[in-house]
Structure formats: C-alpha cells, structure tokens
Amino acid sequence: MEADLTEELDEEEQLVRRHRKEKKELQAKIQGMKNAVPKNDKKRRKQLIEDVAKLEKEMEQKHREELEQLKLNSKENKIDSVAVNISDLVLENQPPRISKAQKRREKKAALEKEREERIAEAEIENLSGARHMESEKLAQILAARQLEIKQIPSDGHCMYRAIEDQLKEQDCTLTVVALRSQTAEYMQSHAEDFLPFLTNPSTGDMYTPEEFRKYCNDIVNTAAWGGQLELRALSHILQTPIEIIQADSPPIVVGEEYKKAPLILVYMRHAYGLGEHYNSVTQLVNTATENCS
C-alpha cells in the first residue's frame, strides 16, 4: 500500500510539473502573439485579447480534466487493490483474474481510441472551419508563386525549424540549436532595439533588464515560441531578408535592407489547437508535367 501511495504522489507531482511547464510555454507564446500585433491596431488587439482568453481557457480546462483523470485512475487502482486482496481468498478453481497492469493497458488503449475519434471528428468539422479556409487561401497565394507549403512539426521550435529548412536550400547548415543561441546572443547585445517591445504579461510594464535576460535565456534553453522580434534578430544575424506569407494580410518582410534572396516562411493562425504556427515552403511540383516526362 505504501508503494502504491508513493507511485500516486509521483504521478501527481509529475503532472503538476508538466502543467507548470505548459503554462510557462503558453505565456511565452502569448507574449510572441502580442509582439506580432502593433499597439495601434485596435481591431487586431481586440482579436488578440479574445485569442489569448481562449488559449488560457483551453489550457485550464485541459489541466483540470487531466487532474480529474489522475484522481479517477487513483480511485480505480485502490478498488483493484481491494479486489486482489479479496480474490486471494477465492478457491483455486476460479478462473484467472485480469492483472492491474492489463487493466491499465486496456484503459489506456480505450482513452487513446477516444482521443483519435475526437481528432477525427474535429478534422471533419474543420473542413468548413477557419483552418481549412486559411489553408485554401495560402495554397492559392503560394501556387501563384510556384510554391507550396512544407510542413514543419509543431513542437515550439517551428519558426527556427522553418528557418533551418530554408537555409538548407542555400547550403547553410545552421541547426535549430545554433539559431536559438545566436538569436539570444544578438538580442542581448542589442537590448535597446528589443527591450522596448517586450512587456510583462501580468503588469503591462516594459521588461526589466532581469526579465529581458530571462527571456533570452528561455530562447536558448526552452521550446519558447519565436515571433517577429526573433525574426528581426535572425535577419540581421544572417544578413538576409525574411518574408512571412499570411492568408489574410499582405506578406511581411523583415531585413529588407539586405539584398539576398529572402527566406520564405508561412505563418498560420489556425494550424493547431494553440493557433500560431510557422511552416517552410518548397517549389510547387507540377505532377502533370512530371507524368508526361
């Protein structure tokens, strides 16, 4: 019983730690979203407030459901333990019981099946939703330039991975780790260019030097989302313009002062549950031409 109690406490502690990490990453993402919207754009600022509230509500609900599921599992494990103790008294000719481990596996499989069904339902619903409409618009914009989206994983590093992918086309082998490190170093050495655009999400005040140092440390040491400030730093580091294509707004170009061919990213607001995501691009493949050749 003591071992079971210790295991339950460990599971709860791990869940609480993960929730703290996810809240921290969400705050970093929200900060990036705020940085990407000009303060004088009232319409987009209003939409931003709604988007932020939705993200925070979704995360709060997700965390609450996970805690409730953990407590439910704990209760069921206790019931299983009592059942095992009683079954020890049953006659030997009784059929073999299902082990706790097997029950946990079956429950996990059932939960995974339910999750996949919810995802499938969401995908069907999304065919007429914002994500589908955004994807259709982007496909048309890119096709006009003989380009198409190249999918990048949604893991917090998507902006840097998209830059890494674009650099490979120029025979540059900078990795995500190197890009994050150089971004943080450049921002710290040019703090006066970036500090005025960063505000504390709780107070609305401009970052203190200590908060700015932590922000830069998070760029290197966590999966914090990258935004327009980081793109500006990268354009200077690489001395290359970076073009960001969007569905509902004209493209944004940072580093226009540089004369190289731009790196091209696709910014998507509705790609995943938490919204913001960056993809790379590649040359559009003309399948009809390929089949004829």
Side-chain angles (χ1 to χ4, degrees):
M1 289 292 291
E2 290 182 2
D4 290 342
L5 180 59
T6 301
E7 182 180 349
E8 290 169 13
L9 291 174
D10 288 344
E11 289 179 356
E12 184 172 354
E13 183 179 355
Q14 290 173 8
L15 184 61
V16 169
R17 287 179 180 174
R18 178 163 64 78
H19 284 179
R20 285 200 207 103
K21 181 181 178 183
E22 289 177 353
K23 287 179 180 178
K24 182 178 179 182
E25 291 175 349
L26 178 60
Q27 286 303 316
K29 172 187 170 46
I30 290 172
Q31 187 61 54
M33 293 168 63
K34 289 181 178 179
N35 294 339
V37 178
K39 292 185 178 180
N40 59 356
D41 191 334
K42 293 182 179 179
K43 183 177 179 181
R44 290 180 65 190
R45 295 296 290 188
K46 181 180 178 182
Q47 182 62 45
L48 174 65
I49 292 172
E50 294 176 358
D51 291 344
V52 168
K54 180 182 177 183
L55 294 178
E56 292 176 337
K57 182 178 178 181
E58 287 176 350
M59 178 163 286
E60 181 182 353
Q61 181 178 351
K62 173 176 173 287
H63 287 177
R64 184 168 60 251
E65 290 174 353
E66 289 178 346
L67 282 170
E68 290 174 354
Q69 186 62 50
L70 180 64
K71 291 177 181 177
L72 179 62
N73 290 345
S74 175
K75 289 180 180 178
E76 291 182 353
N77 287 340
K78 289 177 181 177
I79 293 172
D80 288 343
S81 178
V82 172
V84 168
N85 291 335
I86 293 173
S87 67
D88 288 339
L89 303 176
V90 179
L91 296 176
E92 292 182 359
N93 61 356
Q94 293 293 319
R97 64 177 180 271
I98 300 175
S99 68
K100 288 193 293 181
Q102 178 64 24
K103 287 182 178 180
R104 282 197 293 268
R105 285 194 293 270
E106 291 176 354
K107 175 185 255 183
K108 183 178 179 181
L111 290 173
E112 180 63 21
K113 182 180 179 182
E114 181 183 349
R115 187 183 74 85
E116 290 175 354
E117 289 173 351
R118 287 201 305 268
I119 291 173
E121 290 172 359
E123 287 296 329
I124 294 172
E125 182 179 344
N126 216 18
L127 289 176
S128 60
R131 176 180 170 186
H132 178 70
M133 293 175 63
E134 181 181 47
S135 296
E136 288 290 306
K137 288 180 182 179
L138 285 168
Q140 293 175 9
I141 293 169
L142 293 171
R145 298 174 56 171
Q146 294 299 302
L147 297 172
E148 62 182 345
I149 287 177
K150 184 173 183 180
Q151 296 291 340
I152 299 295
S154 178
D155 58 2
H157 303 289
C158 61
M159 190 197 78
Y160 299 96
R161 291 196 190 283
I163 292 288
E164 177 188 44
D165 180 74
Q166 285 285 292
L167 288 172
K168 288 178 182 177
E169 298 297 320
Q170 300 181 1
D171 295 324
C172 177
T173 57
L174 281 174
T175 64
V176 169
V177 172
L179 290 170
R180 279 187 172 275
S181 176
Q182 291 186 29
T183 298
E185 184 179 346
Y186 183 90
M187 291 179 70
Q188 284 180 312
S189 62
H190 297 79
E192 66 280 1
D193 294 332
F194 298 97
L195 192 53
F197 299 98
L198 291 167
T199 56
N200 186 303
S202 301
T203 65
D205 296 330
M206 189 174 77
Y207 267 12
T208 64
E210 291 76 16
E211 288 174 323
F212 182 64
R213 277 195 294 272
K214 182 181 182 304
Y215 182 92
C216 292
N217 286 337
D218 285 345
I219 291 175
V220 178
N221 299 313
T222 74
W225 277 276
Q228 198 160 343
L229 294 181
E230 289 79 7
L231 285 171
R232 169 63 65 180
L234 283 164
S235 73
H236 290 314
I237 293 165
L238 302 168
Q239 296 191 340
T240 303
I242 301 173
E243 181 179 4
I244 303 96
I245 296 176
Q246 309 171 81
D248 297 316
S249 304
I252 297 172
V253 180
V254 295
E256 288 182 282
E257 61 269 35
Y258 301 111
K259 303 306 178 185
K260 295 181 181 179
L263 307 177
I264 302 176
L265 309 187
V266 176
Y267 169 77
M268 306 183 73
R269 291 190 58 178
H270 307 290
Y272 295 96
L274 288 179
E276 178 183 351
H277 180 67
Y278 288 93
N279 279 316
S280 182
V281 300
T282 188
Q283 288 295 313
L284 181 64
V285 177
N286 189 330
T287 53
T289 302
E290 284 197 346
N291 290 336
C292 291
S293 59

